[in-house]
Amino acid sequence: QPQLVESGGGLVQSGGSLRLSCEASGFNSRIYTITWFRQAPGKSREGVSCIAPRGVDIDYADFVKGRFTISRDNAKNTVYLQMDDLKPEDTANYYCAARGGIHTCTDEFTQGNYLYWGQGTQVTVSS
């Protein structure tokens, strides 16, 4: 059964760092584009960062550029999101999602394109 499991969330002070992991199982995640999304209380879910299957094509939302770094280890079926210089406005539930068929980060934040979703991991940044 295809599954994505996020981990690594927690409580951190403003300016701190966290590394999220998204581990895939039950499908060949190596050929899927993986994207991180987040949803804060009372807000719509929004795209954060995307990484294509080979890890060459990467994109970030403007509000995380220069602070977050996405990477993947296909041998471990895992995608990472290194989050540095965290701000209170980064507080949200972070989800990873996988889509096939488009092996780039083109139109990566259109949520309807994603086949598999994780349950999310909570990130809370205190001021």
Side-chain angles (χ1 to χ4, degrees):
Q1 183 176 351
Q3 194 173 14
L4 293 170
V5 179
E6 302 94 337
S7 61
L11 174 63
V12 65
Q13 289 187 333
S14 182
S17 298
L18 286 172
R19 188 176 82 154
L20 305 184
S21 298
C22 168
E23 183 173 3
S25 61
F27 68 104
N28 186 8
S29 64
R30 302 176 185 189
I31 63 172
Y32 281 69
T33 293
I34 305 292
T35 295
W36 286 95
F37 293 85
R38 72 184 187 185
Q39 186 167 20
K43 295 187 177 181
S44 300
R45 189 162 53 190
E46 59 185 358
V48 175
S49 182
C50 167
I51 187 165
R54 295 184 180 182
V56 176
D57 191 12
I58 288 174
D59 199 14
Y60 298 95
D62 287 344
F63 51 80
V64 302
K65 282 182 179 177
R67 300 189 298 123
F68 290 11
T69 303
I70 194 169
S71 62
R72 67 191 297 161
D73 184 342
N74 284 337
K76 296 182 178 179
N77 298 314
T78 301
V79 172
Y80 304 98
L81 186 68
Q82 176 67 40
M83 306 188 297
D84 298 318
D85 190 23
L86 283 161
K87 304 176 181 181
E89 52 264 42
D90 294 318
T91 294
N93 203 4
Y94 284 71
Y95 303 86
C96 60
R99 74 176 189 190
I102 304 174
H103 296 165
T104 67
C105 284
T106 302
D107 196 24
E108 69 274 24
F109 295 152
T110 299
Q111 299 178 38
N113 291 337
Y114 287 82
L115 184 59
Y116 306 125
W117 289 82
Q119 293 300 306
T121 185
Q122 178 67 35
V123 171
T124 303
V125 185
S126 63
S127 57

